[in-house]
PDB file of all heavy atoms in Angstrom:
ATOM      1  N   GLY C 197     -19.144  22.831  -9.094  1.00  0.00           N
ATOM      2  CA  GLY C 197     -19.302  22.052  -7.862  1.00  0.00           C
ATOM      3  C   GLY C 197     -19.144  20.567  -8.139  1.00  0.00           C
ATOM      4  O   GLY C 197     -18.464  19.852  -7.415  1.00  0.00           O
ATOM      5  N   ALA C 198     -19.768  20.097  -9.234  1.00  0.00           N
ATOM      6  CA  ALA C 198     -19.657  18.687  -9.603  1.00  0.00           C
ATOM      7  C   ALA C 198     -18.227  18.361 -10.009  1.00  0.00           C
ATOM      8  O   ALA C 198     -17.709  17.292  -9.683  1.00  0.00           O
ATOM      9  CB  ALA C 198     -20.624  18.360 -10.734  1.00  0.00           C
ATOM     10  N   THR C 199     -17.569  19.275 -10.696  1.00  0.00           N
ATOM     11  CA  THR C 199     -16.175  19.060 -11.093  1.00  0.00           C
ATOM     12  C   THR C 199     -15.297  18.951  -9.859  1.00  0.00           C
ATOM     13  O   THR C 199     -14.456  18.058  -9.763  1.00  0.00           O
ATOM     14  CB  THR C 199     -15.690  20.211 -11.998  1.00  0.00           C
ATOM     15  OG1 THR C 199     -16.539  20.288 -13.139  1.00  0.00           O
ATOM     16  CG2 THR C 199     -14.265  19.990 -12.443  1.00  0.00           C
ATOM     17  N   GLN C 200     -15.506  19.829  -8.894  1.00  0.00           N
ATOM     18  CA  GLN C 200     -14.735  19.787  -7.652  1.00  0.00           C
ATOM     19  C   GLN C 200     -14.977  18.477  -6.911  1.00  0.00           C
ATOM     20  O   GLN C 200     -14.045  17.872  -6.394  1.00  0.00           O
ATOM     21  CB  GLN C 200     -15.075  20.984  -6.762  1.00  0.00           C
ATOM     22  CG  GLN C 200     -14.251  21.069  -5.498  1.00  0.00           C
ATOM     23  CD  GLN C 200     -12.766  21.271  -5.761  1.00  0.00           C
ATOM     24  OE1 GLN C 200     -12.380  21.906  -6.735  1.00  0.00           O
ATOM     25  NE2 GLN C 200     -11.944  20.711  -4.908  1.00  0.00           N
ATOM     26  N   ASP C 201     -16.237  18.041  -6.882  1.00  0.00           N
ATOM     27  CA  ASP C 201     -16.564  16.768  -6.227  1.00  0.00           C
ATOM     28  C   ASP C 201     -15.821  15.615  -6.901  1.00  0.00           C
ATOM     29  O   ASP C 201     -15.307  14.724  -6.228  1.00  0.00           O
ATOM     30  CB  ASP C 201     -18.075  16.495  -6.277  1.00  0.00           C
ATOM     31  CG  ASP C 201     -18.849  17.409  -5.338  1.00  0.00           C
ATOM     32  OD1 ASP C 201     -18.219  18.086  -4.497  1.00  0.00           O
ATOM     33  OD2 ASP C 201     -20.089  17.451  -5.459  1.00  0.00           O
ATOM     34  N   THR C 202     -15.762  15.647  -8.221  1.00  0.00           N
ATOM     35  CA  THR C 202     -15.070  14.599  -8.977  1.00  0.00           C
ATOM     36  C   THR C 202     -13.584  14.604  -8.649  1.00  0.00           C
ATOM     37  O   THR C 202     -12.981  13.547  -8.437  1.00  0.00           O
ATOM     38  CB  THR C 202     -15.288  14.792 -10.496  1.00  0.00           C
ATOM     39  OG1 THR C 202     -16.690  14.789 -10.754  1.00  0.00           O
ATOM     40  CG2 THR C 202     -14.611  13.702 -11.285  1.00  0.00           C
ATOM     41  N   VAL C 203     -12.981  15.785  -8.575  1.00  0.00           N
ATOM     42  CA  VAL C 203     -11.558  15.897  -8.246  1.00  0.00           C
ATOM     43  C   VAL C 203     -11.309  15.374  -6.836  1.00  0.00           C
ATOM     44  O   VAL C 203     -10.365  14.613  -6.598  1.00  0.00           O
ATOM     45  CB  VAL C 203     -11.081  17.362  -8.385  1.00  0.00           C
ATOM     46  CG1 VAL C 203      -9.713  17.559  -7.775  1.00  0.00           C
ATOM     47  CG2 VAL C 203     -11.100  17.787  -9.841  1.00  0.00           C
ATOM     48  N   GLU C 204     -12.171  15.768  -5.894  1.00  0.00           N
ATOM     49  CA  GLU C 204     -12.001  15.307  -4.509  1.00  0.00           C
ATOM     50  C   GLU C 204     -12.190  13.798  -4.407  1.00  0.00           C
ATOM     51  O   GLU C 204     -11.463  13.115  -3.691  1.00  0.00           O
ATOM     52  CB  GLU C 204     -12.977  16.029  -3.589  1.00  0.00           C
ATOM     53  CG  GLU C 204     -12.597  17.487  -3.372  1.00  0.00           C
ATOM     54  CD  GLU C 204     -13.625  18.256  -2.573  1.00  0.00           C
ATOM     55  OE1 GLU C 204     -14.564  17.637  -2.020  1.00  0.00           O
ATOM     56  OE2 GLU C 204     -13.502  19.490  -2.497  1.00  0.00           O
ATOM     57  N   GLU C 205     -13.163  13.266  -5.160  1.00  0.00           N
ATOM     58  CA  GLU C 205     -13.414  11.826  -5.149  1.00  0.00           C
ATOM     59  C   GLU C 205     -12.208  11.072  -5.721  1.00  0.00           C
ATOM     60  O   GLU C 205     -11.786  10.052  -5.173  1.00  0.00           O
ATOM     61  CB  GLU C 205     -14.672  11.522  -5.966  1.00  0.00           C
ATOM     62  CG  GLU C 205     -15.148  10.099  -5.829  1.00  0.00           C
ATOM     63  CD  GLU C 205     -16.477   9.889  -6.541  1.00  0.00           C
ATOM     64  OE1 GLU C 205     -17.456  10.577  -6.193  1.00  0.00           O
ATOM     65  OE2 GLU C 205     -16.507   9.040  -7.439  1.00  0.00           O
ATOM     66  N   ALA C 206     -11.639  11.590  -6.792  1.00  0.00           N
ATOM     67  CA  ALA C 206     -10.456  10.963  -7.387  1.00  0.00           C
ATOM     68  C   ALA C 206      -9.291  10.994  -6.401  1.00  0.00           C
ATOM     69  O   ALA C 206      -8.548  10.013  -6.263  1.00  0.00           O
ATOM     70  CB  ALA C 206     -10.068  11.658  -8.687  1.00  0.00           C
ATOM     71  N   GLY C 207      -9.122  12.099  -5.695  1.00  0.00           N
ATOM     72  CA  GLY C 207      -8.075  12.208  -4.691  1.00  0.00           C
ATOM     73  C   GLY C 207      -8.284  11.220  -3.558  1.00  0.00           C
ATOM     74  O   GLY C 207      -7.338  10.586  -3.087  1.00  0.00           O
ATOM     75  N   GLU C 208      -9.530  11.084  -3.138  1.00  0.00           N
ATOM     76  CA  GLU C 208      -9.855  10.141  -2.066  1.00  0.00           C
ATOM     77  C   GLU C 208      -9.583   8.704  -2.520  1.00  0.00           C
ATOM     78  O   GLU C 208      -9.033   7.893  -1.769  1.00  0.00           O
ATOM     79  CB  GLU C 208     -11.320  10.303  -1.637  1.00  0.00           C
ATOM     80  CG  GLU C 208     -11.732   9.402  -0.492  1.00  0.00           C
ATOM     81  CD  GLU C 208     -10.936   9.621   0.783  1.00  0.00           C
ATOM     82  OE1 GLU C 208     -10.516  10.751   1.061  1.00  0.00           O
ATOM     83  OE2 GLU C 208     -10.736   8.627   1.508  1.00  0.00           O
ATOM     84  N   GLN C 209      -9.935   8.399  -3.751  1.00  0.00           N
ATOM     85  CA  GLN C 209      -9.672   7.054  -4.280  1.00  0.00           C
ATOM     86  C   GLN C 209      -8.175   6.783  -4.344  1.00  0.00           C
ATOM     87  O   GLN C 209      -7.723   5.684  -4.023  1.00  0.00           O
ATOM     88  CB  GLN C 209     -10.304   6.884  -5.664  1.00  0.00           C
ATOM     89  CG  GLN C 209     -11.811   6.764  -5.613  1.00  0.00           C
ATOM     90  CD  GLN C 209     -12.438   6.748  -6.997  1.00  0.00           C
ATOM     91  OE1 GLN C 209     -11.788   7.059  -7.988  1.00  0.00           O
ATOM     92  NE2 GLN C 209     -13.701   6.380  -7.065  1.00  0.00           N
ATOM     93  N   ALA C 210      -7.398   7.778  -4.740  1.00  0.00           N
ATOM     94  CA  ALA C 210      -5.940   7.619  -4.795  1.00  0.00           C
ATOM     95  C   ALA C 210      -5.389   7.376  -3.395  1.00  0.00           C
ATOM     96  O   ALA C 210      -4.511   6.522  -3.197  1.00  0.00           O
ATOM     97  CB  ALA C 210      -5.292   8.852  -5.426  1.00  0.00           C
ATOM     98  N   ARG C 211      -5.911   8.107  -2.392  1.00  0.00           N
ATOM     99  CA  ARG C 211      -5.460   7.909  -1.010  1.00  0.00           C
ATOM    100  C   ARG C 211      -5.813   6.508  -0.515  1.00  0.00           C
ATOM    101  O   ARG C 211      -5.001   5.844   0.129  1.00  0.00           O
ATOM    102  CB  ARG C 211      -6.068   8.963  -0.078  1.00  0.00           C
ATOM    103  CG  ARG C 211      -5.333  10.304  -0.140  1.00  0.00           C
ATOM    104  CD  ARG C 211      -5.838  11.271   0.909  1.00  0.00           C
ATOM    105  NE  ARG C 211      -7.213  11.706   0.691  1.00  0.00           N
ATOM    106  CZ  ARG C 211      -7.579  12.629  -0.196  1.00  0.00           C
ATOM    107  NH1 ARG C 211      -6.682  13.225  -0.942  1.00  0.00           N
ATOM    108  NH2 ARG C 211      -8.839  12.973  -0.327  1.00  0.00           N
ATOM    109  N   GLU C 212      -7.030   6.061  -0.833  1.00  0.00           N
ATOM    110  CA  GLU C 212      -7.450   4.719  -0.408  1.00  0.00           C
ATOM    111  C   GLU C 212      -6.581   3.645  -1.059  1.00  0.00           C
ATOM    112  O   GLU C 212      -6.166   2.691  -0.396  1.00  0.00           O
ATOM    113  CB  GLU C 212      -8.926   4.489  -0.743  1.00  0.00           C
ATOM    114  CG  GLU C 212      -9.874   5.231   0.175  1.00  0.00           C
ATOM    115  CD  GLU C 212     -11.324   5.099  -0.251  1.00  0.00           C
ATOM    116  OE1 GLU C 212     -11.638   4.258  -1.120  1.00  0.00           O
ATOM    117  OE2 GLU C 212     -12.162   5.842   0.297  1.00  0.00           O
ATOM    118  N   ARG C 213      -6.283   3.809  -2.353  1.00  0.00           N
ATOM    119  CA  ARG C 213      -5.416   2.843  -3.041  1.00  0.00           C
ATOM    120  C   ARG C 213      -4.025   2.840  -2.424  1.00  0.00           C
ATOM    121  O   ARG C 213      -3.411   1.789  -2.255  1.00  0.00           O
ATOM    122  CB  ARG C 213      -5.335   3.154  -4.540  1.00  0.00           C
ATOM    123  CG  ARG C 213      -6.548   2.701  -5.326  1.00  0.00           C
ATOM    124  CD  ARG C 213      -6.294   2.732  -6.819  1.00  0.00           C
ATOM    125  NE  ARG C 213      -5.883   4.033  -7.306  1.00  0.00           N
ATOM    126  CZ  ARG C 213      -6.702   5.002  -7.683  1.00  0.00           C
ATOM    127  NH1 ARG C 213      -8.004   4.821  -7.618  1.00  0.00           N
ATOM    128  NH2 ARG C 213      -6.230   6.155  -8.118  1.00  0.00           N
ATOM    129  N   ALA C 214      -3.529   4.015  -2.069  1.00  0.00           N
ATOM    130  CA  ALA C 214      -2.203   4.115  -1.452  1.00  0.00           C
ATOM    131  C   ALA C 214      -2.202   3.432  -0.084  1.00  0.00           C
ATOM    132  O   ALA C 214      -1.260   2.706   0.247  1.00  0.00           O
ATOM    133  CB  ALA C 214      -1.790   5.581  -1.323  1.00  0.00           C
ATOM    134  N   GLN C 215      -3.253   3.641   0.699  1.00  0.00           N
ATOM    135  CA  GLN C 215      -3.334   3.008   2.017  1.00  0.00           C
ATOM    136  C   GLN C 215      -3.408   1.490   1.892  1.00  0.00           C
ATOM    137  O   GLN C 215      -2.742   0.759   2.630  1.00  0.00           O
ATOM    138  CB  GLN C 215      -4.549   3.533   2.794  1.00  0.00           C
ATOM    139  CG  GLN C 215      -4.366   4.958   3.259  1.00  0.00           C
ATOM    140  CD  GLN C 215      -5.645   5.573   3.810  1.00  0.00           C
ATOM    141  OE1 GLN C 215      -6.742   5.155   3.475  1.00  0.00           O
ATOM    142  NE2 GLN C 215      -5.490   6.581   4.650  1.00  0.00           N
ATOM    143  N   GLU C 216      -4.204   1.015   0.938  1.00  0.00           N
ATOM    144  CA  GLU C 216      -4.316  -0.432   0.715  1.00  0.00           C
ATOM    145  C   GLU C 216      -2.988  -1.012   0.246  1.00  0.00           C
ATOM    146  O   GLU C 216      -2.573  -2.083   0.692  1.00  0.00           O
ATOM    147  CB  GLU C 216      -5.416  -0.725  -0.310  1.00  0.00           C
ATOM    148  CG  GLU C 216      -6.812  -0.474   0.215  1.00  0.00           C
ATOM    149  CD  GLU C 216      -7.865  -0.465  -0.882  1.00  0.00           C
ATOM    150  OE1 GLU C 216      -7.544  -0.767  -2.052  1.00  0.00           O
ATOM    151  OE2 GLU C 216      -9.022  -0.144  -0.561  1.00  0.00           O
ATOM    152  N   ALA C 217      -2.316  -0.309  -0.653  1.00  0.00           N
ATOM    153  CA  ALA C 217      -1.027  -0.782  -1.150  1.00  0.00           C
ATOM    154  C   ALA C 217      -0.005  -0.831  -0.027  1.00  0.00           C
ATOM    155  O   ALA C 217       0.780  -1.781   0.074  1.00  0.00           O
ATOM    156  CB  ALA C 217      -0.535   0.123  -2.286  1.00  0.00           C
ATOM    157  N   PHE C 218      -0.026   0.169   0.847  1.00  0.00           N
ATOM    158  CA  PHE C 218       0.933   0.173   1.941  1.00  0.00           C
ATOM    159  C   PHE C 218       0.619  -0.944   2.936  1.00  0.00           C
ATOM    160  O   PHE C 218       1.535  -1.590   3.455  1.00  0.00           O
ATOM    161  CB  PHE C 218       0.988   1.526   2.652  1.00  0.00           C
ATOM    162  CG  PHE C 218       2.168   1.598   3.561  1.00  0.00           C
ATOM    163  CD1 PHE C 218       3.431   1.838   3.051  1.00  0.00           C
ATOM    164  CD2 PHE C 218       2.038   1.349   4.913  1.00  0.00           C
ATOM    165  CE1 PHE C 218       4.548   1.841   3.871  1.00  0.00           C
ATOM    166  CE2 PHE C 218       3.148   1.360   5.742  1.00  0.00           C
ATOM    167  CZ  PHE C 218       4.407   1.604   5.222  1.00  0.00           C
ATOM    168  N   ALA C 219      -0.656  -1.190   3.213  1.00  0.00           N
ATOM    169  CA  ALA C 219      -1.028  -2.296   4.106  1.00  0.00           C
ATOM    170  C   ALA C 219      -0.532  -3.615   3.536  1.00  0.00           C
ATOM    171  O   ALA C 219      -0.011  -4.470   4.265  1.00  0.00           O
ATOM    172  CB  ALA C 219      -2.543  -2.321   4.306  1.00  0.00           C
ATOM    173  N   SER C 220      -0.641  -3.772   2.238  1.00  0.00           N
ATOM    174  CA  SER C 220      -0.143  -4.973   1.567  1.00  0.00           C
ATOM    175  C   SER C 220       1.378  -5.062   1.676  1.00  0.00           C
ATOM    176  O   SER C 220       1.938  -6.141   1.906  1.00  0.00           O
ATOM    177  CB  SER C 220      -0.585  -4.951   0.098  1.00  0.00           C
ATOM    178  OG  SER C 220      -0.024  -6.029  -0.593  1.00  0.00           O
ATOM    179  N   LEU C 221       2.061  -3.927   1.536  1.00  0.00           N
ATOM    180  CA  LEU C 221       3.520  -3.909   1.676  1.00  0.00           C
ATOM    181  C   LEU C 221       3.920  -4.344   3.083  1.00  0.00           C
ATOM    182  O   LEU C 221       4.860  -5.122   3.247  1.00  0.00           O
ATOM    183  CB  LEU C 221       4.080  -2.517   1.379  1.00  0.00           C
ATOM    184  CG  LEU C 221       5.585  -2.335   1.673  1.00  0.00           C
ATOM    185  CD1 LEU C 221       6.416  -3.240   0.769  1.00  0.00           C
ATOM    186  CD2 LEU C 221       5.991  -0.886   1.519  1.00  0.00           C
ATOM    187  N   ARG C 222       3.205  -3.852   4.091  1.00  0.00           N
ATOM    188  CA  ARG C 222       3.513  -4.256   5.474  1.00  0.00           C
ATOM    189  C   ARG C 222       3.468  -5.771   5.617  1.00  0.00           C
ATOM    190  O   ARG C 222       4.357  -6.378   6.203  1.00  0.00           O
ATOM    191  CB  ARG C 222       2.492  -3.648   6.440  1.00  0.00           C
ATOM    192  CG  ARG C 222       2.868  -2.323   6.948  1.00  0.00           C
ATOM    193  CD  ARG C 222       2.009  -1.972   8.170  1.00  0.00           C
ATOM    194  NE  ARG C 222       2.400  -0.662   8.612  1.00  0.00           N
ATOM    195  CZ  ARG C 222       1.602   0.382   8.659  1.00  0.00           C
ATOM    196  NH1 ARG C 222       0.346   0.265   8.322  1.00  0.00           N
ATOM    197  NH2 ARG C 222       2.051   1.544   9.062  1.00  0.00           N
ATOM    198  N   THR C 223       2.404  -6.377   5.091  1.00  0.00           N
ATOM    199  CA  THR C 223       2.243  -7.824   5.171  1.00  0.00           C
ATOM    200  C   THR C 223       3.359  -8.536   4.414  1.00  0.00           C
ATOM    201  O   THR C 223       3.983  -9.468   4.933  1.00  0.00           O
ATOM    202  CB  THR C 223       0.871  -8.237   4.598  1.00  0.00           C
ATOM    203  OG1 THR C 223      -0.147  -7.546   5.326  1.00  0.00           O
ATOM    204  CG2 THR C 223       0.644  -9.724   4.711  1.00  0.00           C
ATOM    205  N   ASP C 224       3.602  -8.097   3.193  1.00  0.00           N
ATOM    206  CA  ASP C 224       4.662  -8.702   2.377  1.00  0.00           C
ATOM    207  C   ASP C 224       6.028  -8.514   3.024  1.00  0.00           C
ATOM    208  O   ASP C 224       6.881  -9.408   2.958  1.00  0.00           O
ATOM    209  CB  ASP C 224       4.687  -8.099   0.971  1.00  0.00           C
ATOM    210  CG  ASP C 224       3.496  -8.518   0.131  1.00  0.00           C
ATOM    211  OD1 ASP C 224       2.776  -9.457   0.527  1.00  0.00           O
ATOM    212  OD2 ASP C 224       3.281  -7.890  -0.921  1.00  0.00           O
ATOM    213  N   ALA C 225       6.255  -7.365   3.637  1.00  0.00           N
ATOM    214  CA  ALA C 225       7.556  -7.075   4.247  1.00  0.00           C
ATOM    215  C   ALA C 225       7.860  -8.065   5.367  1.00  0.00           C
ATOM    216  O   ALA C 225       9.002  -8.517   5.496  1.00  0.00           O
ATOM    217  CB  ALA C 225       7.596  -5.644   4.769  1.00  0.00           C
ATOM    218  N   GLU C 226       6.861  -8.399   6.153  1.00  0.00           N
ATOM    219  CA  GLU C 226       7.078  -9.371   7.226  1.00  0.00           C
ATOM    220  C   GLU C 226       7.612 -10.678   6.648  1.00  0.00           C
ATOM    221  O   GLU C 226       8.618 -11.213   7.100  1.00  0.00           O
ATOM    222  CB  GLU C 226       5.770  -9.639   7.993  1.00  0.00           C
ATOM    223  CG  GLU C 226       5.340  -8.512   8.890  1.00  0.00           C
ATOM    224  CD  GLU C 226       6.309  -8.273  10.040  1.00  0.00           C
ATOM    225  OE1 GLU C 226       6.846  -9.240  10.613  1.00  0.00           O
ATOM    226  OE2 GLU C 226       6.537  -7.094  10.368  1.00  0.00           O
ATOM    227  N   ARG C 227       6.937 -11.166   5.647  1.00  0.00           N
ATOM    228  CA  ARG C 227       7.317 -12.439   5.026  1.00  0.00           C
ATOM    229  C   ARG C 227       8.673 -12.332   4.329  1.00  0.00           C
ATOM    230  O   ARG C 227       9.547 -13.201   4.500  1.00  0.00           O
ATOM    231  CB  ARG C 227       6.229 -12.854   4.022  1.00  0.00           C
ATOM    232  CG  ARG C 227       6.530 -14.115   3.242  1.00  0.00           C
ATOM    233  CD  ARG C 227       5.402 -14.451   2.269  1.00  0.00           C
ATOM    234  NE  ARG C 227       5.077 -13.374   1.342  1.00  0.00           N
ATOM    235  CZ  ARG C 227       5.780 -13.091   0.243  1.00  0.00           C
ATOM    236  NH1 ARG C 227       6.852 -13.776  -0.058  1.00  0.00           N
ATOM    237  NH2 ARG C 227       5.404 -12.110  -0.556  1.00  0.00           N
ATOM    238  N   LEU C 228       8.868 -11.280   3.558  1.00  0.00           N
ATOM    239  CA  LEU C 228      10.102 -11.143   2.781  1.00  0.00           C
ATOM    240  C   LEU C 228      11.317 -10.881   3.666  1.00  0.00           C
ATOM    241  O   LEU C 228      12.393 -11.426   3.414  1.00  0.00           O
ATOM    242  CB  LEU C 228       9.934 -10.048   1.726  1.00  0.00           C
ATOM    243  CG  LEU C 228       8.959 -10.398   0.591  1.00  0.00           C
ATOM    244  CD1 LEU C 228       8.624  -9.158  -0.224  1.00  0.00           C
ATOM    245  CD2 LEU C 228       9.520 -11.497  -0.288  1.00  0.00           C
ATOM    246  N   VAL C 229      11.164 -10.067   4.700  1.00  0.00           N
ATOM    247  CA  VAL C 229      12.288  -9.823   5.607  1.00  0.00           C
ATOM    248  C   VAL C 229      12.662 -11.121   6.328  1.00  0.00           C
ATOM    249  O   VAL C 229      13.844 -11.430   6.489  1.00  0.00           O
ATOM    250  CB  VAL C 229      11.996  -8.673   6.596  1.00  0.00           C
ATOM    251  CG1 VAL C 229      13.044  -8.615   7.702  1.00  0.00           C
ATOM    252  CG2 VAL C 229      11.943  -7.339   5.853  1.00  0.00           C
ATOM    253  N   ASP C 230      11.652 -11.894   6.729  1.00  0.00           N
ATOM    254  CA  ASP C 230      11.948 -13.200   7.334  1.00  0.00           C
ATOM    255  C   ASP C 230      12.754 -14.068   6.373  1.00  0.00           C
ATOM    256  O   ASP C 230      13.725 -14.714   6.763  1.00  0.00           O
ATOM    257  CB  ASP C 230      10.660 -13.933   7.717  1.00  0.00           C
ATOM    258  CG  ASP C 230      10.048 -13.410   9.003  1.00  0.00           C
ATOM    259  OD1 ASP C 230      10.746 -12.687   9.750  1.00  0.00           O
ATOM    260  OD2 ASP C 230       8.875 -13.725   9.262  1.00  0.00           O
ATOM    261  N   GLU C 231      12.340 -14.080   5.114  1.00  0.00           N
ATOM    262  CA  GLU C 231      13.035 -14.878   4.101  1.00  0.00           C
ATOM    263  C   GLU C 231      14.474 -14.376   3.882  1.00  0.00           C
ATOM    264  O   GLU C 231      15.402 -15.155   3.769  1.00  0.00           O
ATOM    265  CB  GLU C 231      12.248 -14.840   2.793  1.00  0.00           C
ATOM    266  CG  GLU C 231      12.723 -15.850   1.780  1.00  0.00           C
ATOM    267  CD  GLU C 231      11.834 -15.904   0.556  1.00  0.00           C
ATOM    268  OE1 GLU C 231      10.609 -15.696   0.674  1.00  0.00           O
ATOM    269  OE2 GLU C 231      12.384 -16.153  -0.529  1.00  0.00           O
ATOM    270  N   ILE C 232      14.628 -13.060   3.862  1.00  0.00           N
ATOM    271  CA  ILE C 232      15.964 -12.473   3.695  1.00  0.00           C
ATOM    272  C   ILE C 232      16.855 -12.889   4.868  1.00  0.00           C
ATOM    273  O   ILE C 232      17.987 -13.326   4.679  1.00  0.00           O
ATOM    274  CB  ILE C 232      15.880 -10.926   3.597  1.00  0.00           C
ATOM    275  CG1 ILE C 232      15.206 -10.513   2.291  1.00  0.00           C
ATOM    276  CG2 ILE C 232      17.273 -10.306   3.701  1.00  0.00           C
ATOM    277  CD1 ILE C 232      14.753  -9.055   2.254  1.00  0.00           C
ATOM    278  N   GLN C 233      16.319 -12.764   6.082  1.00  0.00           N
ATOM    279  CA  GLN C 233      17.120 -13.071   7.272  1.00  0.00           C
ATOM    280  C   GLN C 233      17.412 -14.569   7.400  1.00  0.00           C
ATOM    281  O   GLN C 233      18.492 -14.954   7.825  1.00  0.00           O
ATOM    282  CB  GLN C 233      16.410 -12.572   8.531  1.00  0.00           C
ATOM    283  CG  GLN C 233      16.392 -11.066   8.621  1.00  0.00           C
ATOM    284  CD  GLN C 233      15.643 -10.569   9.836  1.00  0.00           C
ATOM    285  OE1 GLN C 233      14.544 -11.023  10.127  1.00  0.00           O
ATOM    286  NE2 GLN C 233      16.235  -9.630  10.548  1.00  0.00           N
ATOM    287  N   THR C 234      16.462 -15.390   7.024  1.00  0.00           N
ATOM    288  CA  THR C 234      16.625 -16.831   7.169  1.00  0.00           C
ATOM    289  C   THR C 234      17.520 -17.417   6.086  1.00  0.00           C
ATOM    290  O   THR C 234      18.374 -18.260   6.352  1.00  0.00           O
ATOM    291  CB  THR C 234      15.246 -17.529   7.114  1.00  0.00           C
ATOM    292  OG1 THR C 234      14.414 -16.949   8.112  1.00  0.00           O
ATOM    293  CG2 THR C 234      15.367 -19.011   7.350  1.00  0.00           C
ATOM    294  N   ASN C 235      17.325 -16.957   4.861  1.00  0.00           N
ATOM    295  CA  ASN C 235      17.999 -17.582   3.721  1.00  0.00           C
ATOM    296  C   ASN C 235      18.999 -16.677   3.008  1.00  0.00           C
ATOM    297  O   ASN C 235      19.526 -17.072   1.969  1.00  0.00           O
ATOM    298  CB  ASN C 235      16.949 -18.043   2.694  1.00  0.00           C
ATOM    299  CG  ASN C 235      15.934 -18.984   3.287  1.00  0.00           C
ATOM    300  OD1 ASN C 235      16.279 -19.833   4.094  1.00  0.00           O
ATOM    301  ND2 ASN C 235      14.676 -18.825   2.900  1.00  0.00           N
ATOM    302  N   ASN C 236      19.209 -15.453   3.530  1.00  0.00           N
ATOM    303  CA  ASN C 236      20.047 -14.475   2.814  1.00  0.00           C
ATOM    304  C   ASN C 236      19.635 -14.417   1.335  1.00  0.00           C
ATOM    305  O   ASN C 236      20.472 -14.541   0.444  1.00  0.00           O
ATOM    306  CB  ASN C 236      21.534 -14.829   2.930  1.00  0.00           C
ATOM    307  CG  ASN C 236      22.039 -14.720   4.347  1.00  0.00           C
ATOM    308  OD1 ASN C 236      21.451 -14.031   5.163  1.00  0.00           O
ATOM    309  ND2 ASN C 236      23.125 -15.399   4.631  1.00  0.00           N
ATOM    310  N   ALA C 237      18.329 -14.271   1.122  1.00  0.00           N
ATOM    311  CA  ALA C 237      17.741 -14.427  -0.209  1.00  0.00           C
ATOM    312  C   ALA C 237      17.727 -13.127  -1.007  1.00  0.00           C
ATOM    313  O   ALA C 237      16.910 -12.251  -0.740  1.00  0.00           O
ATOM    314  CB  ALA C 237      16.321 -14.967  -0.073  1.00  0.00           C
ATOM    315  N   PRO C 238      18.624 -13.009  -1.999  1.00  0.00           N
ATOM    316  CA  PRO C 238      18.633 -11.800  -2.834  1.00  0.00           C
ATOM    317  C   PRO C 238      17.313 -11.592  -3.581  1.00  0.00           C
ATOM    318  O   PRO C 238      16.890 -10.453  -3.777  1.00  0.00           O
ATOM    319  CB  PRO C 238      19.775 -12.033  -3.823  1.00  0.00           C
ATOM    320  CG  PRO C 238      20.577 -13.150  -3.266  1.00  0.00           C
ATOM    321  CD  PRO C 238      19.683 -13.937  -2.370  1.00  0.00           C
TER     322      PRO C 238
END
């Protein structure tokens, strides 16, 4: 039971990290796409 809880907790932490990383990508994408469109910045 404790092992299963640990596995589920690790999975939940991975999901939370993925959600946080994607939220950060959304924010960065706004800025970077603006820069690409404004400056044709490779």
Side-chain angles (χ1 to χ4, degrees):
T199 302
Q200 184 63 32
D201 288 348
T202 303
V203 168
E204 288 174 9
E205 190 174 301
E208 182 60 33
Q209 287 174 347
R211 280 187 293 282
E212 286 175 12
R213 282 193 303 273
Q215 288 170 336
E216 289 167 6
F218 192 78
S220 175
L221 172 64
R222 271 195 181 119
T223 303
D224 289 347
E226 287 295 321
R227 176 180 56 79
L228 291 167
V229 169
D230 282 345
E231 192 174 327
I232 291 165
Q233 290 178 313
T234 305
N235 303 321
N236 294 338

